[in-house]
Structure formats: structure tokens, C-alpha cells
Amino acid sequence: MTTLRMVLGDQLSTTISALEGADKRNDIILMCEVIDEATYVKHHKKKIAFLFSAMRHFADDLSKDGFQVRYIRLDDPENTGSFKTEVARAITALGVDRIIVTEPNEYRVFADIKTWVTDLGTPVEIRADHRFLCHADEFQAWAKGRKQLRMEYFYRLMRRKYNILMDGDLPLGGQWNYDAENRKPPKNGLDVPPPFHSSPDHITQEVIDLVSQRFATHFGDLLPFHFATTRKDALAVLHHFINERLPLFGDYQDAMLTNEPWMYHSHISFYLNCGLLLPLECAQAAEQSYHDGHAPLNAVEGFIRQIIGWREYVRGIYWMQMPNYATANYLEAQNPLPAFFWNAQTKMNCLRQCITETKENAYAHHIQRLMVIGNFALIAGIDPDKVNEWFLIVYADAYEWVELPNVSGMILFADGGYLASKPYAASGAYINKMSDYCKGCSYNVSVKNGPTACPFNYLYWDFFIRNQDKLRGNPRLNHTYATLAKMDPVKQAAISDDVTRFWKDTLTNGLS
Ligand SMILES: Cc1cc2nc3c(=O)[nH]c(=O)nc-3n(C[C@H](O)[C@H](O)[C@H](O)COP(=O)(O)OP(=O)(O)OC[C@H]3O[C@@H](n4cnc5c(N)ncnc54)[C@H](O)[C@@H]3O)c2cc1C
Ligand code: SF4
């Protein structure tokens, strides 16, 4: 009996359920680089190079460990270009009796795999993905009957379930959340440690050559390329973070500095999302660092909350709300995506910095995504389809299960408040407080109206005016709407004029 065990590009963990019980003599592991996946959106060049290289290294390690691996390269002349047709080709070539695969993380791929049994005429066993800490069914059971979900309560459940930072049944230190001690503005002269760099080996170099030939028209800089592409190097990134950055992670979690794209963040999302790192081991490594006296509780708790809280929470929402989540547009936002999202040519320094760094690194840290790029997309009323496509393309950690809830739920309020209790809209004052971007900007953050005003200032109020029918009843926005009710009509007219001028400049010159 020949069993085909399929391992997808984001399932690069030796503990993946598809490999459980594998028979090295008789089973074949199938891995394939297919053009359908590389181009269903035009992913950043670095993202494609990273994933193909990580897949090739993983396949090599499996072969060295004695497994039989059928690895289909993108440039293999026989490559048929999709998962289903590659499985069909393997069935014919190898005389496969059954297929085992771990449930994929994208709705689109899952829908495809469900058609394999009938279309390919071979039994398919779809196994649960145990790498996540909360299965979709468990999340649904928790969410059932709740009108609005709160990440904080879900997070406490995960803390208890995995006994992380617990003192019996109580949170270590007496509090579940230490955010009040976190999120300081950046100090002048912060000495941010350099990020972990790995150098391309011959496998990565081959992939870089392939990507530069085949994906030249895709967004982003391919070089320099320093991502880890093996489990060993991904672990080194994790330990580099724990040793060098974790102690200040909480303090500067929301801080942004010019030419400091990496700040005190961990840079592990690429590796977590493709399976080179596992969420529980990352959370436990951080917890150990607290017990060793290396990192303070506010930093460790803040980091662990991102991994066992936010990451699992957005995944739960994705599987509960798909497929409708992908088309949600509660605020009926319809504006186009400005050209500067692709070329970074804007006079708004904050956006220029964050988009340039995204283009160079296929990475921006959370607060750049949330409070600069995301905040702009929200208050400027950009069509969620366009924003989602952009975020899925440009980041090397982007997969729909994590990108879509963050974009449609967290930044755009397109789900009407299911994920976040209010829109994360902010004026230029927030960006000025948390970064040094405004100092180098052509606009003036303290000017509210007119051609020199920071566009975030008038777009902010325009957002609340435009959406008042839908947002005024939200108790968390009482203060905002009370201020708006007192606003002079002349000022409201000036806001409207500014927004008209802003869009005219953006669409005609592309240079707001
Ligand atoms: C608009 C928007 C889009 C995003 N798109 C993605 C995406 O496509 N892929 C992705 O992995 N993350 C996404 N995030 C979440 C977060 O910004 C990234 O996980 C983080 O910036 C990755 O960098 P890091 O590893 O240095 O994270 P750190 O700041 O060091 O955080 C540690 C880890 O916590 C997890 N995490 C933190 N916040 C979130 C969150 N909101 N949702 C899920 N996981 C979280 C990540 O796994 C991350 O690696 C998005 C956030 C926003 C606001
Ligand atoms: S002034 Fe406004 S546009 Fe310029 S960097 Fe500051 S927040 Fe951004």
C-alpha cells in the first residue's frame, strides 16, 4: 500500500500531523512549488524566495532522515502548476492508494482539497493541525452565544490551558495584563540591537536566481536576503530575540523610529507561520527568560499575549467567519488604493518610511501596520478588497488566515466590530507621540486644516463625519461624537475641502 503524504509550504514542521506514523520504506512525501500559489496574488519577491528556500531545505532534511520525498520544483518541465494536478500526477506515477494531508490554513486551499476524493478517485485523510493552540472547533465552542468577542478573555483561557505565566489558577504577578507599563514613546538615542542575519547558502542562492527570473514584475526588493530558511536558523532568530530584545519588547512595542524597521520586535512571524517555529515553544522560551531573571514580566507577558492570544484569536475568527469575512465592508469604503502604496512616493513621511521598509524587507512591525498604514487606509476609506490584497502581497508572513482578520477586522472595521470594539482611527498626534516621523515631514502635524496640515488630522474627522450613522451609537466613541457635535460648521466645511484637495492631488499627481 502506497501512502502519499502531502506537506504544504506552510507546514514545515517535522511534528506536522500528516507525517505522524509515516513509514519511511513505503510512504512518499509530496512537496511542490506551484505557480498557482506563487501568483494568486503577486507576492513580494522576498516572500516567494523565503518560502521556496525553506521548503527545499525542509525536503532535504527529510531525505537525509531517510524519508522518500517527491519534491517538484517550480522550474520542473513536468510541473502542472497546481496542488490538485500535482497530486493527480503523483497518483498516476506512483500508484498511490491513499493520501494524507494536514488541514490547510487557507479557506481557498481547504475547499480545493475537499474536492480531491471525488475528482481524483483516491481516499483522502485530512488531519487536524496540532501546531495551533486552539482548534477551530474549540474556538467556536468558546465564541458560541457571545455577542461580541473579547481577545482578553480568550487569552486568559489559553494561559490556563497551557499553564503559562500562572501561579496555580491565578496569573503570575497578580495581573493578566501589564500593558499599562508598556508602550512608551521612543527615547532619543535608543540603541536598537541589529537583527539576526543569515547568509544565503547554495539552495537559497538558486531560489534567488529563480525568483529574479520568474517574478521580476512582483513587488519588493529581493536583495539583500537575510531570512532564516532552516529550523536551526529560525531557532537562532528566536534566541537572538530572547537574549537581545525581549527585555525592552514591552516598553517599545508601539514605538517607531526612522530607519529602525526592526525595533524591539521578535521577527519570528515568518517562521511561526510556515512551521519552522512552533507557538508553544516561543511562548515557553519567553516564560523561561522571565524565570531566569533575564526579562521583566511586563515584556514577557506582552510578548506571550501576542502569540497565544492574538495569533490564535484571529485564526479562530477567520475559520468561524469565512467565507463571508472576505467580502465584509460594513463601512462601505470604496476609495482606490493610492499609487504610493506601491512606490512609496508620498510627502507623508510616516507612510513613506513604512512603505519603503516594507518594500525593502517584506516586513513592517505591528504598529507600523496598524497605526500608520492601516490607520491611513481606514480613515481614507479605501476599499477593503484593495487593502487586503496589498497586505497579502507585501509581507513575508502574510497568509489569509492571519492577514484578513487583521485587515478587515482590526484596521478597517469592515466586520462592523466583531473583532475590535471600535475602529483604531487616530490623527497625526498619535504618530507624532509614538515616532520621530513628523520631524522629517513636509506636512505640519500641529496644523489641522489647509495645504500644510497633516492629512491624518482632517482625514480623521472626515472619517467620523462620513460614518456617523454607523458609528455614533458605539459607546466607546461617545467622547469623539460629543466633540464632533460641538464642532463649528465652518471647520467641518474646511475638513471637507481638505479631503477633496487631498484626493485630487493623490489621484492626479500621486503625491499627497
Ligand atoms: C493590518 C495588519 C496586518 C497584519 N498582517 C499579518 C500577517 O499577514 N501575518 C502575520 O503573521 N501577522 C500579521 N499582523 C500581525 C502583526 O503585525 C505581525 O504578526 C507582526 O508584526 C510580525 O512581526 P514580529 O514577528 O516581529 O512580531 P512581534 O511584535 O514580535 O510579535 C510576536 C508574534 O506575535 C504574533 N502576533 C502579534 N500580533 C498579532 C496579530 N495581531 N495577529 C496575529 N499574530 C500576531 C505574531 O506571530 C508575531 O510574530 C498584521 C497586523 C496588522 C495590524
Ligand atoms: S505630519 Fe502627519 S503625515 Fe507627516 S509624518 Fe506626521 S503624521 Fe505622518
Side-chain angles (χ1 to χ4, degrees), residues 156-205:
R156 293 177 190 179
L157 189 76
M158 292 297 106
R159 286 265 297 270
R160 286 202 167 98
K161 179 176 172 188
Y162 290 95
N163 193 26
I164 294 184
L165 292 181
M166 295 299 296
D167 180 3
D169 198 40
L170 297 173
L172 210 63
Q175 281 170 233
W176 289 102
N177 184 317
Y178 289 87
D179 256 0
E181 297 172 32
N182 287 340
R183 310 191 158 164
K184 300 188 172 66
K187 273 198 305 223
N188 276 342
L190 263 187
D191 191 13
V192 184
F196 179 90
H197 271 182
S198 101
S199 301
D201 62 4
H202 73 282
I203 295 181
T204 302
Q205 195 49 57

Side-chain angles (χ1 to χ4, degrees), residues 348-350 428 431 437-438 441 443-445 454-456:
M348 292 178 278
N349 190 36
C350 52
I431 296 172
Y437 294 152
C438 299
C441 188
Y443 295 108
N444 188 334
V445 71
C454 163
F456 281 81

Side-chain angles (χ1 to χ4, degrees), residues 241 249 253 262 264-270 272-273 303 305-308 310-312 314-315 363-371 374 391-392 395-404 406-407 410-411:
F241 164 69
F249 173 85
Q253 205 174 339
W262 310 99
Y264 288 90
H265 293 267
S266 64
H267 328 135
I268 58 168
S269 50
F270 324 112
L272 272 172
N273 294 353
F303 175 70
R305 177 154 26 94
Q306 308 310 313
I307 297 195
I308 71 169
W310 277 110
R311 185 169 185 271
E312 298 288 329
V314 299
R315 181 171 181 266
Y363 175 86
H365 66 70
H366 185 65
I367 217 68
Q368 294 179 308
R369 297 187 206 196
L370 181 69
M371 296 310 293
F391 273 95
L392 197 54
Y395 295 115
D397 58 22
Y399 300 80
E400 193 186 63
W401 67 267
V402 53
E403 171 277 324
L404 180 64
N406 271 298
V407 169
M410 197 178 298
I411 66 169

Side-chain angles (χ1 to χ4, degrees), residues 206 218 226 311 314 354 428 502 505:
E206 234 177 28
H218 284 216
H226 292 303
R311 185 169 185 271
V314 299
C354 295
F502 173 85
D505 286 354

Side-chain angles (χ1 to χ4, degrees), residues 173-434:
Q175 281 170 233
W176 289 102
N177 184 317
Y178 289 87
D179 256 0
E181 297 172 32
N182 287 340
R183 310 191 158 164
K184 300 188 172 66
K187 273 198 305 223
N188 276 342
L190 263 187
D191 191 13
V192 184
F196 179 90
H197 271 182
S198 101
S199 301
D201 62 4
H202 73 282
I203 295 181
T204 302
Q205 195 49 57
E206 234 177 28
V207 170
I208 288 173
D209 294 344
L210 173 82
V211 172
S212 75
Q213 281 163 23
R214 294 287 298 270
F215 302 98
T217 62
H218 284 216
F219 174 79
D221 301 350
L222 181 55
L223 297 175
F225 185 94
H226 292 303
F227 285 134
T229 53
T230 60
R231 160 110 179 127
K232 185 168 155 273
D233 277 359
L235 279 171
V237 175
L238 173 65
H239 292 299
H240 183 77
F241 164 69
I242 302 270
N243 294 333
E244 308 270 325
R245 303 173 126 76
L246 178 60
L248 289 178
F249 173 85
D251 284 5
Y252 297 116
Q253 205 174 339
D254 285 8
M256 298 173 279
L257 280 175
T258 304
N259 299 328
E260 289 289 358
W262 310 99
M263 292 300 289
Y264 288 90
H265 293 267
S266 64
H267 328 135
I268 58 168
S269 50
F270 324 112
Y271 315 118
L272 272 172
N273 294 353
C274 77
L276 292 180
L277 291 177
L278 299 172
L280 198 54
E281 71 186 347
C282 297
Q284 286 170 340
E287 182 181 18
Q288 190 57 47
S289 164
Y290 167 70
H291 290 306
D292 293 345
H294 172 65
L297 193 51
N298 67 309
V300 170
E301 186 282 313
F303 175 70
I304 287 177
R305 177 154 26 94
Q306 308 310 313
I307 297 195
I308 71 169
W310 277 110
R311 185 169 185 271
E312 298 288 329
Y313 178 74
V314 299
R315 181 171 181 266
I317 287 186
Y318 175 78
W319 283 110
M320 233 172 71
Q321 295 295 319
M322 282 300 281
N324 297 341
Y325 216 73
T327 51
N329 189 0
Y330 176 71
L331 298 177
E332 298 171 77
Q334 280 168 358
N335 280 331
L337 191 77
F340 62 70
F341 270 72
W342 301 111
N343 59 26
Q345 287 182 23
T346 163
K347 291 188 283 175
M348 292 178 278
N349 190 36
C350 52
L351 280 160
R352 186 169 63 233
Q353 286 286 329
C354 295
I355 295 171
T356 301
E357 289 169 3
T358 297
K359 183 172 157 290
E360 287 170 357
N361 304 320
Y363 175 86
H365 66 70
H366 185 65
I367 217 68
Q368 294 179 308
R369 297 187 206 196
L370 181 69
M371 296 310 293
V372 178
I373 304 172
N375 179 28
F376 174 83
L378 170 75
I379 62 181
I382 299 175
D383 180 345
D385 275 354
K386 302 286 172 231
V387 185
N388 272 301
E389 187 189 30
W390 187 84
F391 273 95
L392 197 54
I393 285 175
V394 303
Y395 295 115
D397 58 22
Y399 300 80
E400 193 186 63
W401 67 267
V402 53
E403 171 277 324
L404 180 64
N406 271 298
V407 169
S408 284
M410 197 178 298
I411 66 169
L412 296 183
F413 208 71
D415 63 358
Y418 191 71
L419 185 146
S421 53
K422 66 166 193 160
Y424 280 91
S427 67
Y430 176 87
I431 296 172
N432 191 33
K433 180 176 159 213
M434 297 310 296

